[in-house]
C-alpha cells in the first residue's frame, strides 16, 4: 500500500502496488507505466518480471497478446487454452515453461526471440492451427525428442530458420 506523507506518496507496509497509465495505444501505455515504475524508490523494492504458472489458463476471450518487454520468463501452462491468434514475444524473454501455450488452437505462428535461453517441453502441444515457428540460433529445448517434433507443434508444418540444440 501507499500513504500520503508531507505531500509525497510513501510505502506503508503493503505488498502490492499497481501503476496504471493511459496512452493512445497499449504499447505506449505499457512503456509509460514501466517508466513510472522506474521512478519509484524504496528499500527492498522489487517487481515481477515473470508471468506465473497457469496465470491466464483458459482465458478464451484473450484474442491478441503483446507481452511487455520487461517480462523475462513465462511459466508452465501460463496461457493454456487461450484463444489468441496473434502472440508477440518480447526481445529480452529468457525462458518459456512447459505447456506454456498448450491448446491455443487459433495460434498460427510464433517467433521466438533471440534472447530466449530455455524452452520447456510441449510449449505448443495441441496448437492445431500452428503452421510456422521461428527459433533463434541457440536455444536449449527440454524433453524435445526427434519423434515428438510434429506432435509438439500440433502435427503441422515445422519451419525453423535455425537448428535448435537439444539437452
Amino acid at each position: 500500500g501507499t500513504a500520503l506523507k508531507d505531500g509525497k506518496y510513501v510505502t506503508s507496509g503493503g505488498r502490492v502496488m499497481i501503476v496504471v497509465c493511459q496512452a493512445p495505444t497499449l504499447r505506449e501505455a505499457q512503456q509509460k507505466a514501466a517508466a513510472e515504475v522506474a521512478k519509484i524508490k524504496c528499500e527492498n523494492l522489487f517487481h515481477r518480471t515473470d508471468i506465473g504458472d497457469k496465470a491466464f489458463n483458459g482465458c478464451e476471450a484473450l484474442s491478441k497478446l503483446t507481452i511487455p518487454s520487461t517480462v523475462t520468463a513465462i511459466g508452465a501452462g501460463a496461457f493454456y487454452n487461450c484463444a489468441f491468434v496473434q502472440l508477440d514475444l518480447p526481445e529480452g524473454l529468457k525462458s518459456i515453461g512447459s505447456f506454456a501455450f498448450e491448446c491455443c488452437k487459433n495460434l498460427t505462428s510464433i517467433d521466438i526471440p533471440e534472447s530466449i535461453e530455455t524452452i520447456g517441453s510441449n510449449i505448443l502441444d495441441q496448437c492445431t492451427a500452428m503452421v510456422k515457428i521461428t527459433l533463434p540460433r541457440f536455444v536449449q529445448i527440454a524433453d524435445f525428442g526427434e519423434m515428438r517434433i510434429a506432435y509438439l507443434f500440433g502435427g503441422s508444418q515445422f519451419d525453423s530458420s535455425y537448428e535448435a540444440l537439444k539437452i
Side-chain angles (χ1 to χ4, degrees), residues 103-108 124-131 153-156:
C103 292
C104 293
K105 297 185 186 317
N106 297 327
L107 188 60
T108 59
L124 298 169
D125 193 7
Q126 299 182 47
C127 292
T128 53
M130 183 63 61
V131 293
F153 298 106
S156 49

Side-chain angles (χ1 to χ4, degrees), residues 7-156:
K8 293 183 180 182
Y9 285 100
V10 297
T11 59
S12 64
R15 293 184 43 186
V16 177
M17 180 186 305
I18 298 173
V19 176
V20 179
C21 293
Q22 291 183 321
T25 68
L26 177 60
R27 184 164 304 276
E28 288 173 300
Q30 290 170 335
Q31 291 169 342
K32 201 172 170 183
E36 292 302 313
V37 167
K39 294 177 185 177
I40 298 170
K41 306 290 183 223
C42 69
E43 275 185 43
N44 302 319
L45 175 71
F46 77 95
H47 63 276
R48 293 189 69 152
T49 59
D50 68 316
I51 296 173
D53 295 351
K54 300 181 182 180
F56 295 92
N57 186 326
C59 288
E60 295 178 7
L62 192 59
S63 61
K64 181 179 179 205
L65 179 65
T66 301
I67 297 174
S69 61
T70 55
V71 172
T72 60
I74 296 173
F79 296 99
Y80 174 87
N81 200 28
C82 289
F84 48 76
V85 175
Q86 183 178 345
L87 171 65
D88 297 323
L89 297 176
E91 191 58 46
L93 184 66
K94 296 194 179 304
S95 68
I96 300 173
S98 297
F99 306 101
F101 307 107
E102 181 182 16
C103 292
C104 293
K105 297 185 186 317
N106 297 327
L107 188 60
T108 59
S109 67
I110 189 170
D111 293 329
I112 308 291
E114 290 290 328
S115 59
I116 202 78
E117 295 172 359
T118 305
I119 298 175
S121 64
N122 301 346
I123 65 162
L124 298 169
D125 193 7
Q126 299 182 47
C127 292
T128 53
M130 183 63 61
V131 293
K132 182 179 178 188
I133 179 168
T134 304
L135 292 170
R137 183 175 303 275
F138 299 105
V139 64
Q140 293 178 340
I141 301 177
D143 189 24
F144 195 71
E146 293 292 327
M147 300 305 291
R148 296 185 59 122
I149 196 164
Y151 180 71
L152 181 66
F153 298 106
S156 49

